[in-house]
Amino acid sequence: GQNSWAEEHRSKTQAAVDKLVDCGINFLAIDFDQTMIDVHTGGRWQGTALELTEHLRPVFLHLVPEATNRNIRIAICTFSGQTKHIRDVMEYAFPNIAELIVIRGNDKTWEYHGNGFKRGKQQHMASAAEELLAEQALGVTDVTKATTLLIDDDPKNIRMSLKDRTRAIWFNPKEPNELLDNILMLK
């Protein structure tokens, strides 16, 4: 029945988060369009944020709070400029932890001046990490490439990330629940 699926899903999510902790990961950078949600807005979502919240994938509804409980920080790293919408979606979906979630989109509100890689999602991740380190209240003392994992449906972003020595998992929009299996296979 539905319940045993939910139970199995919950225990698998916990196992995946245990694995992240074992691998020394304290920062998850998650893509928004087609990854965290099951549509591609192209940064031009016409509906409300509440309607967009209905497109959140169940795997992330479990993973984000579970990871946060274990002191793994979350950032949404997106090429979309609709960061206010995304912020509202986080507030609706994760009301207790939304303020801990950093959002980096192409909304011209931030710039990354470090000497890191500028391509793919690398500067989004670097900028989000800078914010996490600046906000001591978030309890993060050390976010580095070695402690970061990118989850993204675009193979180009995954390639850039790996090239930049940051772990990354390709998210298959057609098989969302494979994400947990892929996390469990991390080295």
Side-chain angles (χ1 to χ4, degrees):
Q2 194 57 38
N3 232 359
S4 58
W5 180 86
E7 261 318 299
E8 188 186 334
H9 202 70
R10 188 170 299 121
S11 63
K12 195 168 195 178
T13 303
Q14 282 170 342
V17 172
D18 287 340
K19 180 71 179 184
L20 293 172
V21 172
D22 288 348
C23 289
I25 288 167
N26 64 9
F27 177 41
L28 284 184
I30 306 172
D31 172 49
F32 192 67
D33 286 304
Q34 289 282 58
T35 300
M36 191 175 248
I37 56 172
D38 63 11
V39 288
H40 201 294
T41 67
R44 292 182 300 276
W45 179 254
Q46 300 296 327
T48 66
L50 194 53
E51 287 165 337
L52 193 52
T53 305
E54 290 165 15
H55 289 278
L56 275 174
R57 296 183 191 271
V59 63
F60 290 107
L61 285 173
H62 295 282
L63 182 63
V64 168
E66 190 65 42
T68 302
N69 285 341
R70 301 290 298 277
N71 249 1
I72 295 172
R73 291 295 163 246
I74 312 285
I76 308 302
C77 293
T78 174
F79 293 144
S80 166
Q82 288 187 305
T83 47
K84 192 185 166 327
H85 258 31
I86 295 171
R87 168 59 62 207
D88 290 344
V89 169
M90 295 302 113
E91 297 284 346
Y92 287 128
F94 310 111
N96 305 325
I97 56 174
E99 64 183 16
L100 298 175
I101 299 174
V102 175
I103 297 173
R104 281 293 177 277
N106 293 6
D107 58 5
K108 314 248 191 319
T109 62
W110 58 278
E111 277 179 301
Y112 171 62
H113 295 293
N115 47 14
F117 229 54
K118 295 280 194 286
R119 289 154 69 194
K121 293 285 173 73
Q122 300 314 107
Q123 52 183 348
H124 297 68
M125 291 192 278
S127 173
E130 285 175 356
E131 178 173 330
L132 287 168
L133 292 173
E135 292 278 339
Q136 285 309 311
L138 297 182
V140 180
T141 49
D142 196 22
V143 176
T144 65
K145 288 179 191 179
T147 68
T148 299
L149 174 67
L150 172 67
I151 300 170
D152 199 310
D153 71 299
D154 185 337
K156 279 202 302 286
N157 295 330
I158 299 298
R159 273 201 308 277
M160 293 287 169
S161 190
L162 295 173
K163 192 173 165 187
D164 197 30
R165 298 194 307 283
T166 304
R167 280 178 282 198
I169 288 179
W170 177 66
F171 182 85
N172 181 350
K174 293 192 179 68
E175 298 289 345
N177 295 326
E178 276 181 6
L179 173 62
L180 298 177
D181 297 312
N182 288 333
I183 290 174
L184 288 167
M185 290 190 293
L186 279 172
K187 293 278 183 286

